[in-house]
Amino acid sequence: MQQGTNLPRLGSYNRAVVLGAIQVSDGISRVQIAERTGLTAQAVSVIVRRLLDDGLVVEDGSAPSRGGKPRTILRVDPAAGYAVGVHFDPGRLHCVLADLAGRPVSSAVTTLRAVPEPEAVIRRMAAAVRRVLADAGVPAKKVLGVGLACPGPIDPRDGVLLSPPRLEGWSRVPVRLMLERATGFQVTIDNDATAAAIGERWSGLGRSAPSFAYLYLGSGVGGGLLLDGQIYRGRTLNAAEFGHLTVAPDGPRCHCGNRGCVEALCCPEAIVAAAHARLAAGGTGRLAAAWKRDPRRVGHPQICAAAAAGDPLASEVIGEVAGHLAVAAVGIINILDVDLLILGGPALREAGEVYRRTIARAIGSLTIARSLRNVAVEISPIAADAAAIGAASLVFHAAYAPHLTSLLREGTLMRERREPPNPATTPPGTAS
Amino acid sequence: MQQGTNLPRLGSYNRAVVLGAIQVSDGISRVQIAERTGLTAQAVSVIVRRLLDDGLVVEDGSAPSRGGKPRTILRVDPAAGYAVGVHFDPGRLHCVLADLAGRPVSSAVTTLRAVPEPEAVIRRMAAAVRRVLADAGVPAKKVLGVGLACPGPIDPRDGVLLSPPRLEGWSRVPVRLMLERATGFQVTIDNDATAAAIGERWSGLGRSAPSFAYLYLGSGVGGGLLLDGQIYRGRTLNAAEFGHLTVAPDGPRCHCGNRGCVEALCCPEAIVAAAHARLAAGGTGRLAAAWKRDPRRVGHPQICAAAAAGDPLASEVIGEVAGHLAVAAVGIINILDVDLLILGGPALREAGEVYRRTIARAIGSLTIARSLRNVAVEISPIAADAAAIGAASLVFHAAYAPHLTSLLREGTLMRERREPPNPATTPPGTAS
C-alpha cells in the first residue's frame, strides 16, 4: 500500500534537499539553491536561516550578481560535525575520520593476520576509532556516529554479518551492537560496496549524478546503486550484488553456491590463481622472472603492475578479467539503464584503466539502448579508500540526505532502523 | 540536483494515494484508507469527497464496524472512465477496451501477415480501436486515452520505435504521433514488457506488492520493474531488458549485437529451432511423430504442449530454456533484491509451470541473500493478455497512480512527456 505524506515530513525533506544542495556545491547562493531545487526564494531563506542557527552551514563571503547586491555564499561548515568510517575487509581494518564535507581528516590502517576472532576485531576497531579521534583532536561530542562497512551479506535489521566469505567462524556476528558497546557511539552498518557508493554520492563522482551503478572491486566484487537520487538497497538491503552475476555458467564454483560468478573469476584470489597456473606452465617476461625467483612474491599487486607495464602473460590474465567484468557491466546497464558506471575499490589498482576501457567499449557496442545514450564509465578518484570514506558517509547520509522515504510513512524494513544519530544525544565516546 | 516539493504537489500526490488505495482494494472504508496510507481521517475525508464529486469513486453499501455506526464502503466506479490498450507484436495486433477497474470490456485480435508497413499497421490499429469501442457501446468522451505497447527499444521522448527486432524497415517510426492522428485520442507508449508490469500493478498480482520484477515472454524476452511502489524505467525508459542478460557468453549471436542473450536462447523462434534440430537428428514420441508428418506443424505451441504432456524431446528443450531463464533470474534477484518475480506474456503457454519451478528452485538455492527472504515466483493470471491489458493500464497509470516524481519538480526526461490525459479535454475519437 503506498503511503501518503504530510506537512511536517515535507518540511524536513525540503530541509535535507537544501542542505544537500549546499553540500554538493562549492559555495552556493540562496538564489541558486532556489533555482536548482525548485523551492521558492522564501522557503529557501527560512530553511537556510535555521541551518545557520544550527551551525551546519556558514556564510562565506559573497559573489557578484547580475545588477543587484552581491549574493552571500553558503557552505557546509566542515567542522560542524564528524563521522568515523571503519572498513572491515578480511585481512585489513581501515579507519577514517571525515569532516562534514566528506574530507578525510585522519586515518589508521591495521593489518589483521590469519582469520581473526570477532571479539578481537571489534577491540581493534574501537582502538582505531579512538586513535583517529585523538590524532585529529576531535572531541567525542562532535562525532555524529560510526559507519561500519563490512563484506556482505548482512542482515541490516540486526546489524549482523551473516556468513561472509573468507571469514570462517563468523556466522551471525552482531557487529553493530558489539561496536556500539565498544565505542559508545551509535553505529550505522552497510555492506562495503554500498558504503563506497554512498561515499561517491557524498563526496566523489556521484555528487551531481541522478543515477549511477557502482562496481566495487575489493577482496570480493560488489556493487551499489543510486537510482533517481536515492540509494537503492532492495528489500533486504542486499541489492546490487554485481559480483554474483553469472558470466560463465560452466565456470568455477563460487562460495555463494553458484557457478561462474563475476566474483569467482575476477577477485584478487582468482586473478592470482589464474596467473600462477599460467606461470607454472611456463612463460617469459618480467612476471615469469619474478615467479621463478619466488612464486609467493607474485601477488595481485604485482600482477596488476605487470599488466600495466605491458607484460604479456599478466596482460592476458587481466584482459580476461576485464572481459568478464564487461559481460556483467552490459547486463547491469541493460537492467538498470543508468548513464554512469563508477569503478572503485582497493582491487582496481593499475588494472583499473584496462577494466574501464574494456567495459566502456562493451557498453557502447552491446547494450540494447546504446543508440539513445552514452554511458560514462569512470574510475573513482577515491577508489582505494572508497569503502572507508564511504563508511563515514553512511553516518552523514543517514542524518542529512534527502530520503524520499522520509516523506512517506516508514516501510517495514525502515521502521526497524533507528533514528538518525544526533550530536546532542550521542553518548560520549570512550575517546573523549 | 535533488528537487524540493511544495503544498499543491503534496495535495495531488495524496489524492493519487487515496485513489490508489481504493483501486487496489475490493471495497474499502475511509477509516481503512487512513490506516493503510498513514493520512489523517480528516485528510482522507476531504480527498474522498472530491473523488465522489468527480465521479471517479462511488459509495457502495456499508460494512459493520467495531462498535460505531456502519462504515460506508468506497469503490472506484468502473464506468467512470475507459482506456484502450493496443499491443503490437510482429504478427499480431491485440486491442482491449478496459474499464477504470482494469477489467477488459471488449477486445479484438488482428493477425498481421509478413512484415507489415507502418502506415498499414497504424490503420489496422485505428480500426481495432474503433471496433472495441463500438462493440462495447462506449462513447469517445468516456475514453481517457489509448495505451500502445510495442516491442523495444523505444525512444519515449518522441514516441518512436527505434529498430525493433523482427520488424525490418521499421526504423525510427513515430508510432505515437501516427496513432494519435489516426484515432484522435492521446496515446501513451511504452515497451510491451513494461506495459505488462504496469498492468500487473494495476489489476493483477502486483496490486499489493511494494516491489517486483516481471519477466515477460513474448516474441522476445523483456521485463518490467516496480521498485518501492514506483515503476522503474531508467534514464531512457529502457530499463529491465532482462532478455539481454548474457547467460551463455559463447552462445548464439543475438539481434542486439551481443552473444548468448536470454532472448537468443529462450524466445519462441529459438525454441522451435532447437526442437527442429533435435527432431532432424532423430527421435521418438508424440512430437517426433508429428514432425515426420509435417515439420511445419511443429511450432512453439506444439512444443510447449508436448513438454507439458511429458514428451521427452520437448521436455529436454523446454528444460534447457528453463535453465537459461533461471540463470538470468538469479542475476535479477541478486541485483534487485525484490521478493516477487512474476512470469507473464503470451509465450509462457504450457511451459510456464516448468519455468516457474526451475526458476524458483534456482532462486531459493543460489541467490546471495537466500537465507534472508523467500522470493515468490508466480505466473501472472493474465499472462497471455498481459501486454494488451497493460497497454490500457498505461493510460490509467499515467493519470491516476501516485507518482513520487509528481511530488518533485519534473526531471529532464519527464519534462518532455506531456500532461496526463483528461477526459474533459480529450479530442473526440473517430469512433464517436
Side-chain angles (χ1 to χ4, degrees), chain A residues 1-7 9-10 13-14 17 20-21 24 34-39 153-157 162 172 201 208 210-211 225 227-230 232-242 244-249 253 255-258 327 330-339 365-373 402-404 407-409, chain B residues 1-7 9-10 13-14 17 21 24 28 34-39 153-157 162 172 201 208 210-211 225 227-230 232-242 244-249 253 255-258 327 330-339 365-373 402-404 407-409:
Chain A
M1 182 65 58
Q2 221 164 321
Q3 301 298 320
T5 186
N6 62 29
L7 214 50
R9 287 193 212 123
L10 184 146
Y13 177 78
N14 283 344
V17 165
V24 302
E35 282 166 9
R36 294 190 196 167
T37 62
L39 291 167
I154 59 171
D155 183 342
R157 285 163 302 190
L162 288 175
R172 298 206 57 84
R201 163 93 178 85
S208 53
S211 300
L225 278 175
L227 302 180
D228 298 332
Q230 302 290 304
Y232 178 76
R233 285 192 171 83
R235 292 290 286 164
T236 70
L237 301 214
N238 286 283
E241 283 284 4
F242 300 145
H244 300 282
L245 280 173
T246 304
V247 289
R253 183 69 69 185
H255 63 81
C256 75
N258 208 345
V327 169
V330 167
I332 291 166
I333 298 299
N334 278 337
I335 289 189
L336 297 167
D337 190 16
V338 293
D339 42 23
S365 60
L366 298 175
T367 55
I368 191 94
R370 58 188 178 267
S371 68
L372 285 177
R373 48 141 165 68
H403 299 284
L404 274 179
L407 264 172
L408 313 175
R409 204 167 58 171
Chain B
M1 184 61 61
Q2 220 164 320
Q3 300 298 319
T5 187
N6 61 30
L7 214 50
R9 288 192 212 124
L10 184 146
Y13 177 79
N14 282 343
V17 165
V24 301
I28 189 169
E35 283 165 8
R36 293 190 196 169
T37 61
L39 291 167
I154 59 170
D155 183 342
R157 286 163 303 189
L162 288 174
R172 298 207 58 86
R201 164 92 179 84
S208 53
S211 300
L225 278 175
L227 301 180
D228 298 332
Q230 302 289 305
Y232 178 76
R233 285 192 170 84
R235 292 290 287 164
T236 71
L237 302 216
N238 285 282
E241 283 284 4
F242 301 145
H244 300 282
L245 279 173
T246 304
V247 288
R253 183 70 69 184
H255 62 81
C256 74
N258 208 343
V327 170
V330 168
I332 291 165
I333 298 299
N334 277 337
I335 289 188
L336 297 166
D337 190 17
V338 294
D339 44 22
S365 59
L366 298 174
T367 54
I368 190 94
R370 58 189 178 268
S371 69
L372 284 177
R373 47 139 164 69
H403 299 285
L404 274 179
L407 263 174
L408 313 176
R409 204 166 59 171

Side-chain angles (χ1 to χ4, degrees), chain A residues 61-426:
Chain A
S62 61
S65 75
R66 286 158 292 179
K69 62 172 184 171
R71 292 169 178 176
T72 306
I73 291 302
L74 300 162
R75 290 183 206 280
V76 164
D77 180 4
Y82 295 83
V84 183
V86 179
H87 177 210
F88 171 42
D89 202 40
R92 210 175 82 121
L93 273 184
H94 186 181
C95 185
V96 168
L97 177 71
D99 65 22
L100 196 53
R103 292 177 310 209
V105 177
S106 61
S107 72
V109 172
T110 310
T111 304
L112 303 169
R113 282 175 227 294
V115 177
E117 273 200 310
E119 289 74 15
V121 171
I122 296 292
R123 273 197 305 275
R124 307 283 285 269
M125 285 181 188
V129 169
R130 283 191 296 272
R131 193 175 131 200
V132 294
L133 287 173
D135 283 356
V138 168
K141 69 177 193 308
K142 281 267 196 180
V143 176
L144 297 167
V146 172
L148 175 58
C150 290
I154 59 171
D155 183 342
R157 285 163 302 190
D158 305 327
V160 158
L161 289 205
L162 288 175
S163 35
R166 283 171 282 271
L167 277 173
E168 289 99 59
W170 282 64
S171 182
R172 298 206 57 84
V173 175
V175 283
R176 186 173 67 196
L177 188 67
M178 292 167 75
L179 190 56
E180 288 187 340
R181 287 197 181 141
T183 62
F185 292 116
Q186 188 167 320
V187 172
T188 305
I189 181 172
D190 218 322
N191 80 56
D192 45 13
T194 300
I198 290 174
E200 212 62 51
R201 163 93 178 85
W202 196 255
S203 56
L205 283 175
R207 282 169 72 161
S208 53
S211 300
F212 63 79
Y214 188 104
L215 182 61
Y216 178 86
L217 302 184
S219 58
V221 178
L225 278 175
L226 185 85
L227 302 180
D228 298 332
Q230 302 290 304
I231 292 288
Y232 178 76
R233 285 192 171 83
R235 292 290 286 164
T236 70
L237 301 214
N238 286 283
E241 283 284 4
F242 300 145
H244 300 282
L245 280 173
T246 304
V247 289
D250 304 317
R253 183 69 69 185
C254 180
H255 63 81
C256 75
N258 208 345
R259 274 193 181 285
C261 294
V262 175
E263 179 158 315
L265 291 155
C266 304
C267 71
E269 208 174 290
I271 292 173
V272 170
H276 280 214
R278 273 168 225 228
L279 288 163
T284 57
R286 203 174 92 168
L287 205 63
W291 190 80
K292 272 168 208 149
R293 283 195 299 275
D294 183 357
R296 287 167 306 175
R297 303 274 304 264
V298 178
H300 181 248
Q302 290 75 30
I303 297 165
C304 292
D311 180 90
L313 190 146
S315 297
E316 208 177 283
V317 170
I318 293 299
E320 285 178 13
V321 169
H324 293 310
L325 293 175
V327 169
V330 167
I332 291 166
I333 298 299
N334 278 337
I335 289 189
L336 297 167
D337 190 16
V338 293
D339 42 23
L340 173 62
L341 177 66
I342 301 176
L343 309 179
L348 273 184
R349 295 189 170 272
E350 294 93 330
E353 183 52 28
V354 175
Y355 297 157
R356 197 199 63 74
R357 269 204 315 272
T358 309
I359 289 171
R361 203 183 311 125
I363 288 175
S365 60
L366 298 175
T367 55
I368 191 94
R370 58 188 178 267
S371 68
L372 285 177
R373 48 141 165 68
N374 285 315
V375 176
V377 181
E378 309 211 20
I379 294 176
S380 163
I382 51 167
D385 304 323
I389 294 176
S393 303
L394 289 175
V395 176
F396 299 135
H397 191 77
Y400 297 124
H403 299 284
L404 274 179
T405 44
S406 72
L407 264 172
L408 313 175
R409 204 167 58 171
E410 301 191 311
T412 316
L413 272 180
M414 295 303 292
R415 205 174 309 151
E416 294 171 63
R417 308 195 76 196
R418 283 95 41 91
E419 287 298 298
N422 180 326
T425 58
T426 301

Side-chain angles (χ1 to χ4, degrees), chain B residues 39-311:
Chain B
L39 291 167
T40 63
Q42 196 198 354
V44 170
S45 179
V46 169
I47 294 170
V48 166
R49 186 69 262 156
R50 214 162 325 139
L51 292 172
L52 287 164
D53 290 346
D54 291 351
L56 286 170
V57 164
V58 288
E59 292 185 332
D60 182 22
S62 60
S65 74
R66 284 159 291 178
K69 62 172 185 174
R71 292 168 178 177
T72 307
I73 291 300
L74 301 162
R75 289 184 205 281
V76 163
D77 180 4
Y82 295 84
V84 184
V86 179
H87 177 210
F88 171 42
D89 202 40
R92 210 175 84 121
L93 272 184
H94 186 183
C95 185
V96 168
L97 177 71
D99 65 22
L100 196 53
R103 293 178 310 211
V105 177
S106 62
S107 71
V109 173
T110 310
T111 304
L112 302 169
R113 282 176 226 294
V115 177
E117 274 199 309
E119 289 75 14
V121 171
I122 296 292
R123 274 198 304 274
R124 306 284 284 271
M125 284 180 187
V129 169
R130 283 191 297 272
R131 194 175 131 201
V132 294
L133 287 173
D135 284 356
V138 167
K141 68 176 192 311
K142 281 269 198 180
V143 175
L144 297 168
V146 172
L148 175 58
C150 290
I154 59 170
D155 183 342
R157 286 163 303 189
D158 304 328
V160 158
L161 289 204
L162 288 174
S163 34
R166 284 171 280 272
L167 277 173
E168 288 99 61
W170 282 64
S171 182
R172 298 207 58 86
V173 175
V175 283
R176 185 174 66 196
L177 187 67
M178 291 168 76
L179 190 57
E180 287 187 342
R181 287 196 181 140
T183 62
F185 292 116
Q186 188 168 321
V187 173
T188 305
I189 181 173
D190 218 321
N191 80 58
D192 44 14
T194 301
I198 290 174
E200 211 63 48
R201 164 92 179 84
W202 196 254
S203 56
L205 283 176
R207 280 168 74 161
S208 53
S211 300
F212 64 79
Y214 188 104
L215 181 60
Y216 178 85
L217 303 183
S219 57
V221 178
L225 278 175
L226 185 85
L227 301 180
D228 298 332
Q230 302 289 305
I231 292 287
Y232 178 76
R233 285 192 170 84
R235 292 290 287 164
T236 71
L237 302 216
N238 285 282
E241 283 284 4
F242 301 145
H244 300 282
L245 279 173
T246 304
V247 288
D250 305 317
R253 183 70 69 184
C254 180
H255 62 81
C256 74
N258 208 343
R259 273 194 182 286
C261 293
V262 175
E263 179 159 315
L265 291 156
C266 304
C267 72
E269 209 175 289
I271 292 172
V272 171
H276 280 216
R278 274 168 223 228
L279 289 162
T284 56
R286 204 174 93 170
L287 205 63
W291 190 79
K292 273 168 208 150
R293 285 197 298 278
D294 183 357
R296 287 167 308 176
R297 304 274 302 267
V298 179
H300 181 249
Q302 291 75 30
I303 297 165
C304 291
D311 179 89

